[in-house]
Amino acid sequence: MYAKLKDLLTQELDAFRASGLYKEERVIESPQGPRITVKGRPLLNFCANNYLGLSSHPKVIEAAHKALDEWGYGMSSVRFICGTQEIHKQLERKVADFLRQDDAILYAACFDANGGVFEPFMSEDCAIITDALNHASIIDGVRLTKAQRLIYQHADMNDLENKLKQSRDAMFRMIVTDGVFSMDGDIAHLKEICMLSEWYEAIVMVDDSHATGFIGPTGRGTPEYWDVESKVDVITTTFGKALGGASGGATVGHREMIDMLRQRSRPYLFSNTLAPAVVGATLAVLDLLSESDDLRKKLQLNTKYFRDGMARLGFDIRPGVHPIVPIMLYEAKAAVELASRLLDEGIYVIAFSYPVVPKGQARIRVQISAAHEQDHLDRALEAFGKVGRELGVIG
Ligand SMILES: *Cc1c(COP(=O)(O)O)cnc(C)c1O
């Protein structure tokens, strides 16, 4: 039986390889951090979502050890059978308080939070109005509903308004957006989105995975950045990026919505509990961020230092304030070549091209971390300058 499928898969995999779309994994031989080891070589890492440098932070590791000792390794259960410990309830309370919302519910990943956040609320009489560049997990979550789906052009508020007008007859409408878009590092226009949601009576949902912990005056994310915290109805986020980077996610919002998710959200009802060590460490991360603003400030300074340095070198970077720094090469080959030469210089960055970004928009995406020291940033800037000049990308 398998022979026919095997032929087809072999052909398709060969086609991936031929077109340069085949994904190879790079195996890291060290903990995650600003310095990693790959194939025995030390590299400076500029492509992790380790925004606050907490992935291998001693306090986080210590908290994980402590939770492991106190609460055990696994729960062998979904939450509502015998998979809820006191620390799971504490973390839900703490995440809700951190994001200044009523309540929160934990998931194994933000991918699951998004997979389970639409279907319980959005029936076939409803409409979901979603940004064209929203994360894959949002796209999948929306697909699991029978609601009408309207996709507005990325960040285009006129188009969003058109879609709101088109869906006037829907029983409920939900506007759905990433808080920060991962390829450009641009922040969703939540002020306008919330204004439109009031005029047209729509619910607002934001996936703040690339923002929770470090965007906004105290790191509460994009709703705080735009001062619309009370106007956003539901937030999904991940613990797998800035908040320690292990795994896990949450949906945060109005009491009744979260309560209904506990009754009806399938990734919550039918998937295993978050491991105690992850819960304990995430609790410690939220304490750390509530006690001190140092990491967020350092990340901000590092980001500005790197962005200014790259602009001074003459690189074409997408403007913004986010630690995602897109360096535009436009041609896929140029981006791949630059990334590969930077790797030779000990700087680990990733080139992105079609279909991950639009055709002719190839780029290198640098991600800055609070764990980067000035010396790391200087070495990266130096390498970018050297290789950029050699390849004729800058003058
Ligand atoms: C990374 C990311 C996710 C997935 O988060 P996991 O917790 O790793 O599943 C979801 N949405 C957005 C916008 C993301 O950037």
Side-chain angles (χ1 to χ4, degrees):
M1 271 311 286
Y2 178 55
K4 203 167 152 191
L5 178 59
K6 179 178 170 167
D7 286 348
L8 179 71
L9 294 180
T10 306
Q11 264 177 34
E12 288 183 348
L13 287 166
D14 287 347
F16 280 151
R17 284 193 193 87
S19 62
L21 294 178
Y22 189 84
K23 290 180 195 62
E24 299 272 5
E25 293 176 347
R26 207 159 256 147
V27 179
I28 299 177
E29 296 148 0
S30 61
Q32 184 63 282
R35 274 164 307 171
I36 54 174
T37 310
V38 176
K39 289 189 180 149
R41 270 185 65 205
L43 296 177
L44 289 180
N45 186 6
F46 284 89
C47 52
N49 299 311
N50 185 18
Y51 295 116
L52 294 171
L54 295 173
S55 304
S56 305
H57 192 286
K59 281 195 180 159
V60 178
I61 293 173
E62 186 194 320
H65 275 298
K66 198 156 158 268
L68 186 61
D69 291 340
E70 266 178 47
W71 298 97
Y73 169 67
M75 290 299 295
S76 309
S77 173
V78 299
R79 287 285 303 279
F80 77 98
I81 297 186
C82 54
T84 301
Q85 294 169 320
E86 284 169 41
I87 47 172
H88 294 86
K89 298 314 285 181
Q90 282 168 22
L91 181 56
E92 286 177 336
R93 188 68 260 142
K94 202 160 273 203
V95 172
D97 288 347
F98 188 78
L99 295 181
R100 304 186 182 115
Q101 300 285 335
D102 289 349
D103 201 359
I105 174 174
L106 304 181
Y107 288 86
C110 187
F111 205 105
D112 291 321
N114 287 334
V117 73
F118 302 112
E119 193 255 348
F121 306 124
M122 296 279 112
S123 66
E124 57 200 1
D125 312 326
C126 300
I128 300 174
I129 306 168
T130 174
D131 188 291
L133 290 191
N134 278 343
H135 191 264
S137 54
I138 290 180
I139 295 170
D140 287 7
V142 171
R143 278 186 186 143
L144 294 172
T145 73
K146 294 199 171 75
Q148 190 193 353
R149 178 179 42 173
L150 297 97
I151 300 170
Y152 64 93
Q153 301 276 321
H154 173 54
D156 182 337
M157 294 298 108
N158 290 325
D159 198 28
L160 170 56
E161 186 160 16
N162 287 337
K163 301 296 190 275
L164 284 162
K165 284 178 181 159
Q166 280 169 33
S167 59
R168 269 192 198 277
D169 293 338
M171 183 166 62
F172 291 110
R173 289 179 293 177
M174 193 189 273
I175 305 172
V176 179
T177 184
D178 282 15
V180 171
F181 293 86
S182 64
M183 284 301 136
D184 283 326
D186 57 322
I187 300 177
H189 306 309
L190 289 189
K191 253 208 156 74
E192 287 91 335
I193 288 174
C194 288
M195 210 151 73
L196 287 168
S197 80
E198 280 176 10
W199 291 348
Y200 291 92
E201 299 184 338
I203 291 162
V204 177
M205 182 280 202
V206 177
D207 176 345
D208 236 6
S209 290
H210 280 287
T212 303
F214 60 99
I215 293 292
T218 67
R220 265 58 177 181
T222 57
E224 188 193 39
Y225 180 88
W226 292 114
D227 194 18
V228 292
E229 280 173 291
S230 61
K231 297 186 175 161
V232 170
D233 296 291
V234 57
I235 299 167
T236 59
T237 193
T238 183
F239 309 142
K241 292 190 169 104
L243 303 184
S247 63
T251 301
V252 193
H254 299 296
R255 188 165 318 286
E256 301 74 18
M257 288 182 85
I258 302 305
D259 204 7
M260 185 53 75
L261 291 175
R262 283 188 210 286
Q263 314 308 312
R264 297 236 0 248
S265 183
R266 291 164 69 84
Y268 170 84
L269 293 172
F270 298 106
S271 183
N272 202 24
T273 299
L274 209 51
V278 173
V279 176
T282 309
L283 279 165
V285 165
L286 292 174
D287 283 342
L288 203 74
L289 299 187
S290 302
E291 283 158 19
S292 157
D293 211 19
D294 292 354
L295 292 173
R296 196 186 60 75
K297 284 202 180 116
K298 185 164 173 214
L299 174 61
Q300 219 171 19
L301 287 175
N302 280 355
T303 299
K304 183 162 169 31
Y305 185 81
F306 185 79
R307 279 180 171 275
D308 289 352
M310 289 297 283
R312 216 174 301 118
L313 283 169
F315 281 99
D316 178 1
I317 62 175
R318 284 276 152 93
V321 296
H322 198 273
I324 290 173
V325 187
I327 296 135
M328 304 305 296
L329 281 304
Y330 303 100
E331 294 299 320
K333 249 187 91 190
V336 170
E337 176 73 10
L338 184 57
S340 146
R341 295 282 294 275
L342 284 163
L343 196 62
D344 296 340
E345 301 289 326
I347 305 296
Y348 186 14
V349 294
I350 298 283
F352 289 92
S353 55
Y354 182 81
V356 181
V357 294
K359 274 207 169 102
Q361 295 282 310
R363 68 198 62 186
I364 283 177
R365 183 180 71 173
V366 163
Q367 290 174 284
I368 301 298
S369 167
H372 287 133
E373 298 303 337
Q374 167 126 17
D375 165 56
H376 301 149
L377 301 172
D378 286 336
R379 276 156 66 192
L381 288 168
E382 198 179 312
F384 263 104
K386 176 175 174 229
V387 175
R389 276 187 299 272
E390 282 170 11
L391 297 180
V393 175
I394 52 170

